[in-house]
Structures are given as C-alpha cells and as structure tokens.
Amino acid sequence: MKKLVLTSLIFIFSLTSPSLAKSEVYHLLRLKNGGELVTPRYWVENSQLFFFYAGGIVGIEKQSVDRVEKREIERTVYRDATSVNAGKKPLPPSPAKAEKSPAPGK
C-alpha cells in the first residue's frame, strides 16, 4: 500500500512541477507600444504582469500589455538527403556557371 501511495505522489508531483514537465508552448506578450516579448510562463499579481525573461523575472504594468498570445513550439525535423532519395534516380548535376573575374587595374 505504501508503494502505491508513494508512486501516486511522485506521478502527481511530476505532472504539476514546471521544472520536470517540459512545456511545448510559449507566450507572446504584445505590448501597446508595439513591442513583443516571448516567455515560457507568465502570471498576474494585482496590477502587475510578471514573466520569465533573460534568466530572471520581470514585472510590467498590466495596462501596458495589449494582449497575450499562446503559441506552440514549431519543431523542425531534418532528414538526411541520401535516405530521402534512396531508390530514386539521382538529381542531375547543376550546370556550371563560369564567372569572369574583373581584370586587374592597369
């Protein structure tokens, strides 16, 4: 029984802990002056909006924020070109372009 309770507590803690659960979203803070700030997390206390920025915590007036947009992180997958073209005809070589270097000044 103790093992079940301990396992359940560890599971719940891992779901609620921001340091252990990796987030796939970020927030774009759009300011009224046209500026934009990107942060993984923000929160509001009284008339201040706090967020993580440049290795620290920053607070600004809520009135200076136009809106907050939630965005997802776009993952780019790179593949080896040889594995993508496996079994297909190779691409023809690109034509060589001869460029003349400018004549040295006389």
Side-chain angles (χ1 to χ4, degrees), residues 5-36:
V5 172
L6 182 61
T7 305
S8 300
L9 287 175
I10 291 172
F11 178 72
I12 291 171
F13 178 74
S14 67
L15 291 177
T16 58
S17 173
S19 63
L20 295 177
K22 295 192 177 180
S23 177
E24 296 291 326
V25 298
Y26 65 93
H27 303 279
L28 179 64
L29 306 175
R30 296 206 183 248
L31 305 178
K32 289 184 179 179
N33 68 2
E36 296 177 343

Side-chain angles (χ1 to χ4, degrees), residues 22-70:
K22 295 192 177 180
S23 177
E24 296 291 326
V25 298
Y26 65 93
H27 303 279
L28 179 64
L29 306 175
R30 296 206 183 248
L31 305 178
K32 289 184 179 179
N33 68 2
E36 296 177 343
L37 300 167
V38 177
T39 182
R41 184 170 177 254
Y42 76 96
W43 63 98
V44 177
E45 292 181 14
N46 300 325
S47 65
Q48 294 280 315
L49 187 134
F50 293 95
F51 57 95
F52 292 111
Y53 191 75
I57 297 175
V58 179
I60 59 174
E61 291 288 327
K62 277 192 317 186
Q63 296 172 352
S64 63
V65 178
D66 184 34
R67 65 183 179 272
V68 178
E69 298 176 5
K70 187 175 181 179

